[in-house]
Amino acid sequence: MRKMSRILMFSFLFVFLASAAFAAFPERSVSVVCPWGAGGGTDRLTRFMASQLEKELGKPFPVTNKTGGNGAVGHSAGAFSKPDGYTITMVTLELATMHWMGLTELTYADFDYVIQLNQDPAGVMVKADAPWKNLGELLEAVKATPEKFKFSGTAAGGVWDLARIGMLDKAGIPVNAVSWIPTTGAAPSIIELLGGHVEVITCSLPEAASQIAAGEIRPLAIMADIRDSAFPDVPTLKESGIDWSAGTWRGFAVPKGTPAEVIDVLYNAMKKITDSDEYKEFMGKNGFGVLVRGPKEFAEFARQQDTDLKNVMELGGYLKK
Amino acid sequence: MKKTLRILFGVSLVLVSLWVIRTSSTFPEAVSAGKKIPGPAFFPVLLSVVLIPCGLHQAVSALRSGTEAAGRRWGSGTVNGAIVILSLVVYVQLMQWMGYALSTFLFSMYLLLRLRVGVLKALAVTIITVVFILLVFGRLFQIQLPLGELGIPW
Amino acid sequence: MFEEILAVFRPAILFPWLLSMAFGVLIGGTPGLTATMGVALIIPVTYYMEPLAGMAMILGVSFTSIFTGDIPATLLRIPGTPASGAATLDGYELTKQGRGMEALSLDLLCSAIGGFIGILLLMAVAPPLAKFALKFTNFQYFWLGIFGLSMSAVLSAGRPINGVLSATLGLLVSTVGMDITTGLPRFTGGNMELLEGIGFIPAMVGLFGLSEVLKNVGDAKLLGKSSIPEFGRISLLRTLKIILRNKMTVLKASLLGTCVGALPGAGADIAAWVAYGMEKKTSKNPEEFGKGSIKGVIAPTSANNAALGGTWIPALVFGVPGDSITAIVLGAMLMYGLRPGPLIFQENLELVHGIFAVGLISQILLIPVGLIGIRIFGKILRMPRNIVMVIVLIFSVIGSYAIRNSFFDIYIMAAFGVAGFFFEYLDIPLPPLILAIILGPMIEDNLRVGLIKTHGGFGEFIFDPICLTLIFLILFVFFGGPVMKFFRRNKRK
């Protein structure tokens, strides 16, 4: 058995070395586009991956933050650069939503996909002294007096808003009956919740982890297919009989038409990073959920998200075309 | 000169405000819990309504101010100002083409010489500035300075 | 506390700490590089250090750069960071009178004292202050934004009506881009770069940096000469005496600054204006302000550094950011495996005490570091104008570009530079314009989101103790001068 695995390992190594020798990519530095600002969560992940890639492939991977237009500027800059693999882009869920909002012509189809690195499901949270002990009670109350309820979590039409719309719709509650209080992200929404100015927030659980741990915020549900091992007591929506899961995701993509060998080199290097303990430790510390998908699965997932989210955006009145 | 400029400024404020009001009228309305609420047009229109009297005030008070007051002279200084703006535009175009270092060098040398700084002094100032930015922005802060289409690595 | 203070004097902490303060001097003194950006840029470096060393670097950069932002503001009237807007008034006037060094040394010591008071308040009353700050929501933030803006509109040099015009125009500029409540792009003309709005950094660099360049190159006779002929000398003892004479101003401004900083929706930029305005409005000699008043230098600089301590209050007590710097700090804490928020006082009390100690000592270190900064910038900025202006121009261009790697932002900078040049010529004050661009989103979004909450009603914006107080203060800003005069006259009778 041991011999077998050793042979396997050597043959893998051989194939890997051979392919590396064959494909000379990368010959020079590879620029990494991050569509979000320096210091934020996506930026931290991008910079971590860039520093690991530098070790893995031996060439510099300088990160460029090209922010603006709800991610439209950075995604477009990445998608419309030369398809030679020397510009890779950290793509996020907004790729699937912004063109429906009429912000850009860019769609998921303008990219070839390398690897999906992460997925964070949405949560449903209320203040610790709120009267609703579980999701059922909350939704009953919402059904009874929807106009009383204020939900928050991010900007209008942002990922956590879409998660909220989908949940309410699947629970049979008219989505426009409750108010969505737009903010610039999860952190200000948490302030609003703690101050008692909104009733419910729907950001990811790790974003509110310290307030949950301190007993100031009560999580009621998670919009995922299975429970999160970091929050084992929080039930999924499916357990409450609501067939809905939603969340944000991040991954690397290259411009459409990039040679397959180049994508392979990038994917293999990144796969090695995602298999490492360092990666798991980094993701754990930052509260990012780990979910790795290869090029084909990631492309399929992005396509799927595009149609799924279109429906939700239509319900929320965000569809522009 | 100042009088004419002030009148122009006042009138253009009014025109901009009117344009804002017209553009805003095409914005969709906002709804909260079934009720119409002030939407995306509300704030810009409100500001325009404040700006129109401000603009009129500028124009009218300039008209009333009587004779043209002797303001600054518009001689070689204006030419220098125009040159700064024009060379700035050229500089940005050059930077996109030949990258940060070379374009900054040319821009800095041109302006310094134009402003009558000695050649050696200009050269010293230019080199120190270019290298300083390269080191501090590029190396220390890891900001990607423009590479340019020529692909010169700095 | 004593052991904790000793514990921070280890090479592993002291070395990166001092280095970060040197960075802070560079960042603050360069128009276009802000304290927030400085912190974001050094964060990746700190991941390989122990948490306290990282926190020391963040504190060092932020306090130093907020101070050094005042150096170009005082010497050239170009604010190095947005929080230095108010320093362009009386500080620059003093420079014109040949007392630049006096203004800067006052600025430095008051920054240190303000920062010290801010940290002391953070240590002493963080929980109750944070609880109070949570009471603020859209209705209150809306009025707070208007309050800060009206201060700057009324108090900048020139006639108040021109200040109101400038502020209104700035607010209009801030509506360009995507509307946060509906996601609708407004006034962008289909340009994607404008979706995020007109960046206030390029706008600020243009309004103050480029317009100053244009003004200077226009005067051919002066080009070969320095723009700061007389500089004065540093005398810390004399400065200290001046501060002692104005100790109530320092104290009031620092308390006010910390409270404003503690509000999660407001930061150092607004704190400086509020402190300047309160000082002028309650002064017995308001006519001195804007003409080189000592109090007009002391108040804003004490307040903006005190506000930095204030921003850590919600960050440590609730784990929610007090401003854009502490937002990055919270992210960094996660990287260290810490859990920011209420539990940090139980789980990492040692680190919290370490942060307090570092914060306090940073203020003392700020004095020598700041003096070096004043020396260096003083030397550079006193070179002949034709050299200084070209250097300012290059830094303006690179700084505007570097914010988000965008050539478009350089053109924004250029456009605002030309506009700023003409506005100056027409006696339209620039500080309200830039503050309005910064505060515009805060004012409009809070108004609109508040209206979503009330389903269109305006009652909540008025019938609330905090709102009423702010409305009263705003009315006082506009009409307070004559009222105060009236009361004083009656008293004398």
Side-chain angles (χ1 to χ4, degrees):
Chain A
M1 198 57 210
R2 186 174 285 176
K3 201 176 173 189
M4 189 66 181
S5 70
R6 198 171 288 173
I7 290 172
L8 252 168
M9 232 175 74
F10 270 113
S11 52
F12 264 120
L13 197 68
F14 179 74
V15 171
F16 180 70
L17 283 176
S19 69
F22 194 70
F25 178 86
E27 289 175 299
R28 54 186 165 93
S29 70
V30 177
S31 88
V32 185
V33 178
C34 174
W36 305 98
T42 306
D43 179 63
R44 285 203 295 277
L45 179 59
T46 312
R47 283 178 194 273
F48 170 81
M49 287 302 291
S51 69
Q52 297 293 314
L53 282 167
E54 204 164 314
K55 278 184 212 155
E56 206 61 50
L57 295 171
K59 287 283 183 297
F61 278 71
V63 176
T64 311
N65 296 89
K66 282 190 94 67
T67 62
N70 222 2
V73 173
H75 280 108
S76 307
F80 301 129
S81 57
K82 232 186 237 171
D84 54 6
Y86 287 100
T87 308
I88 63 176
T89 310
M90 174 64 80
V91 292
T92 58
L93 167 122
E94 283 71 15
L95 176 61
T97 63
M98 57 194 178
H99 71 102
W100 294 125
M101 292 179 88
L103 296 177
T104 171
E105 297 293 312
L106 184 80
T107 69
Y108 73 95
D110 292 308
F111 278 109
D112 275 334
Y113 293 82
V114 181
I115 193 166
Q116 183 181 345
L117 297 165
N118 131 281
Q119 192 156 338
D120 288 323
V124 183
M125 284 163 270
V126 296
K127 212 179 164 195
D129 56 15
W132 318 289
K133 302 284 176 241
N134 56 51
L135 189 72
E137 287 178 29
L138 176 70
L139 291 180
E140 277 311 310
V142 173
K143 249 180 220 164
T145 50
E147 66 280 0
K148 241 189 73 187
F149 277 83
K150 296 187 276 289
F151 283 63
S152 189
T154 186
V159 49
W160 309 132
D161 185 15
L162 300 180
R164 183 253 338 176
I165 292 170
M167 174 182 80
L168 291 180
D169 180 55
K170 290 274 157 73
I173 300 171
V175 297
N176 292 328
V178 304
S179 308
W180 179 258
I181 305 302
T183 61
T184 50
S189 311
I190 294 170
I191 298 173
E192 288 280 294
L193 187 71
L194 290 178
H197 308 298
V198 301
E199 283 76 32
V200 190
I201 58 171
T202 53
C203 60
S204 83
L205 294 178
E207 282 174 303
S210 60
Q211 290 83 9
I212 293 173
E216 293 185 338
I217 285 182
R218 182 190 311 135
L220 299 181
I222 179 168
M223 305 190 197
D225 298 338
I226 49 165
R227 292 189 181 202
D228 184 339
S229 58
F231 302 92
D233 302 330
V234 183
T236 64
L237 280 191
K238 292 212 169 112
E239 290 173 48
S240 314
I242 300 169
D243 183 24
W244 174 247
S245 59
T248 188
W249 43 265
R250 301 171 176 90
F252 276 117
V254 287
K256 191 91 200 164
T258 303
E261 309 86 71
V262 170
I263 295 179
D264 275 352
V265 173
L266 286 169
Y267 173 70
N268 288 331
M270 292 182 193
K271 179 82 182 111
K272 238 171 117 186
I273 295 167
T274 56
D275 287 342
S276 70
D277 290 336
E278 267 168 300
Y279 181 76
K280 280 162 197 141
E281 198 194 321
F282 172 88
M283 298 299 272
K285 270 184 182 172
N286 279 282
F288 291 134
V290 176
L291 195 146
V292 178
R293 286 189 171 103
K296 278 216 185 70
E297 296 81 26
F298 190 18
E300 174 56 30
F301 174 71
R303 198 186 59 77
Q304 190 61 41
Q305 283 276 297
D306 198 68
T307 47
D308 284 358
L309 291 173
K310 184 193 172 190
N311 298 334
V312 187
M313 298 190 79
E314 196 161 17
L315 282 171
Y318 296 121
L319 203 62
K320 287 282 148 61
K321 51 177 190 175
Chain B
M1 196 65 206
K2 194 165 181 171
K3 182 178 171 182
T4 324
L5 263 180
R6 190 177 290 282
I7 295 170
L8 266 176
F9 177 61
V11 171
S12 49
L13 271 186
V14 174
L15 290 179
V16 167
S17 306
L18 290 175
W19 176 77
V20 166
I21 292 174
R22 213 192 65 175
T23 313
S24 302
S25 64
T26 62
F27 292 165
E29 283 166 339
V31 179
S32 169
K35 280 186 212 146
K36 260 189 213 163
I37 62 165
F42 178 66
F43 199 57
V45 169
L46 187 74
L47 295 171
S48 304
V49 169
V50 178
L51 266 187
I52 290 174
C54 284
L56 287 176
H57 169 86
Q58 290 287 328
V60 169
S61 66
L63 273 174
R64 279 202 191 147
S65 67
T67 49
E68 183 82 65
R72 95 182 12 245
R73 278 173 297 115
W74 294 74
S76 68
T78 322
V79 179
N80 270 348
I83 283 179
V84 166
I85 296 296
L86 275 180
S87 57
L88 188 70
V89 173
V90 174
Y91 171 37
V92 177
Q93 295 299 325
L94 280 182
M95 189 148 56
Q96 295 181 34
W97 180 55
M98 57 169 73
Y100 153 74
L102 214 52
S103 59
T104 308
F105 179 85
L106 292 175
F107 175 66
S108 168
M109 279 309 281
Y110 169 73
L111 271 187
L112 284 169
L113 294 177
R114 162 83 211 174
L115 297 177
R116 294 194 224 122
V117 178
V119 177
L120 279 182
K121 226 181 197 175
L123 206 61
V125 170
T126 300
I127 290 176
I128 291 173
T129 310
V130 169
V131 172
F132 180 82
I133 291 179
L134 211 56
L135 290 180
V136 172
F137 283 68
R139 289 283 168 280
L140 202 61
F141 297 155
Q142 300 277 308
I143 292 170
Q144 267 301 92
L145 292 165
L147 278 174
E149 283 157 31
L150 293 182
I152 302 167
W154 31 264
Chain C
M1 198 68 209
F2 192 65
E3 307 94 84
E4 274 111 3
I5 289 181
L6 275 185
V8 301
F9 283 108
R10 280 176 288 135
I13 293 176
L14 199 60
F15 184 65
W17 188 7
L18 285 172
L19 204 66
S20 75
M21 294 186 85
F23 285 163
V25 172
L26 277 180
I27 291 161
T30 312
L33 287 181
T34 62
T36 310
M37 197 177 171
V39 170
L41 291 171
I42 61 156
I43 284 285
V45 183
T46 67
Y47 288 156
Y48 306 101
M49 300 174 187
E50 59 176 296
L52 190 56
M55 293 296 131
M57 284 191 89
I58 292 163
L59 284 165
V61 165
S62 52
F63 279 105
T64 326
S65 53
I66 291 291
F67 160 68
T68 31
D70 289 351
I71 299 180
T74 307
L75 295 181
L76 284 184
R77 226 182 55 121
I78 303 173
T81 66
S84 307
T88 57
L89 302 179
D90 287 276
Y92 181 65
E93 283 303 318
L94 284 172
T95 302
K96 280 208 298 201
Q97 298 167 16
R99 292 156 73 194
M101 203 45 149
E102 189 186 329
L104 281 178
S105 38
L106 258 179
D107 202 317
L108 175 59
L109 289 192
C110 290
S111 292
I113 297 170
F116 206 85
I117 293 174
I119 300 280
L120 282 181
L121 285 175
L122 165 67
M123 293 163 65
V125 290
L129 206 52
K131 278 255 152 59
F132 174 71
L134 278 189
K135 285 209 169 69
F136 275 65
T137 182
N138 309 96
F139 317 117
Q140 290 81 9
Y141 279 122
F142 167 72
W143 288 114
L144 185 68
I146 298 274
F147 179 48
L149 200 53
S150 43
M151 286 282 188
S152 131
V154 173
L155 300 169
S156 291
R159 292 191 304 173
I161 183 152
N162 286 359
V164 171
L165 186 155
S166 175
T168 315
L169 197 60
L171 287 177
L172 198 58
V173 167
S174 80
T175 62
V176 173
M178 214 162 65
D179 171 32
I180 178 196
T181 56
T182 57
L184 178 85
R186 294 185 296 186
F187 314 120
T188 60
N191 186 328
M192 209 160 51
E193 305 251 17
L194 279 176
L195 276 181
E196 205 184 22
I198 288 176
F200 65 84
I201 298 293
M204 183 181 85
V205 171
L207 280 177
F208 291 95
L210 180 58
S211 77
E212 199 67 19
V213 171
L214 290 175
K215 207 161 73 187
N216 275 283
V217 298
D219 217 333
K221 265 185 286 176
L222 290 175
L223 268 178
K225 302 189 182 112
S226 165
S227 48
I228 316 160
E230 279 293 321
F231 197 42
R233 300 194 135 267
I234 304 185
S235 161
L236 285 185
L237 202 66
R238 216 173 55 129
T239 312
L240 216 56
K241 272 187 196 149
I242 298 175
I243 292 174
L244 273 179
R245 237 181 288 139
N246 295 294
K247 52 185 176 298
M248 284 318 287
T249 305
V250 179
L251 204 64
K252 263 190 301 183
S254 306
L255 288 176
L256 204 58
T258 314
C259 293
V260 173
L263 299 171
D269 36 20
I270 200 169
W273 279 107
V274 169
Y276 183 85
M278 287 321 259
E279 195 54 40
K280 179 174 176 182
K281 282 288 158 184
T282 57
S283 162
K284 282 182 200 131
N285 317 310
E287 69 282 351
E288 281 177 9
F289 283 75
K291 294 182 187 127
S293 157
I294 295 290
K295 284 192 161 77
V297 173
I298 293 178
T301 191
S302 309
N304 63 15
N305 272 50
L308 286 183
T311 58
W312 283 70
I313 291 175
L316 286 181
V317 175
F318 293 115
V320 294
D323 67 344
S324 46
I325 296 177
T326 40
I328 301 172
V329 169
L330 293 178
M333 284 186 164
L334 288 174
M335 294 287 297
Y336 297 129
L338 301 169
R339 273 195 294 186
L343 288 181
I344 203 168
F345 285 95
Q346 294 157 31
E347 291 173 351
N348 303 85
L349 192 62
E350 218 171 292
L351 178 80
V352 174
H353 284 168
I355 292 174
F356 291 163
V358 165
L360 289 177
I361 300 163
S362 289
Q363 312 307 325
I364 298 164
L365 293 177
L366 178 62
I367 295 172
V369 172
L371 282 177
I372 297 171
I374 294 175
R375 275 272 149 77
I376 297 173
F377 279 98
K379 277 255 161 59
I380 297 172
L381 299 181
R382 289 179 72 195
M383 287 194 293
R385 279 178 210 219
N386 40 11
I387 295 179
V388 173
M389 289 306 144
V390 173
I391 295 177
V392 166
L393 196 55
I394 293 174
F395 273 92
S396 302
V397 169
I398 301 296
S400 314
Y401 171 83
I403 292 292
R404 44 178 203 160
N405 296 290
S406 155
F407 287 104
F408 184 78
D409 281 350
I410 303 180
Y411 290 120
I412 293 279
M413 189 275 292
F416 275 85
V418 176
F421 174 74
F422 282 108
F423 283 9
E424 286 264 81
Y425 182 66
L426 295 174
D427 308 314
I428 308 287
L430 299 180
L433 186 69
I434 189 66
L435 194 68
I437 298 178
I438 297 173
L439 296 183
M442 164 180 172
I443 292 171
E444 186 188 4
D445 294 345
N446 280 312
L447 172 67
R448 299 269 309 285
V449 173
L451 287 170
I452 294 179
K453 280 184 181 168
T454 64
H455 306 313
F458 284 92
E460 282 85 343
F461 280 94
I462 299 165
F463 302 111
D464 166 274
I466 301 173
C467 290
L468 279 173
T469 313
L470 286 166
I471 293 170
F472 172 77
L473 287 172
I474 293 165
L475 291 175
F476 181 71
V477 168
F478 278 101
F479 309 108
V483 176
M484 288 288 272
K485 229 180 242 166
F486 178 76
F487 275 114
R488 265 205 203 105
R489 212 175 289 152
N490 280 6
K491 228 181 182 173
R492 262 180 229 148
K493 276 177 191 168

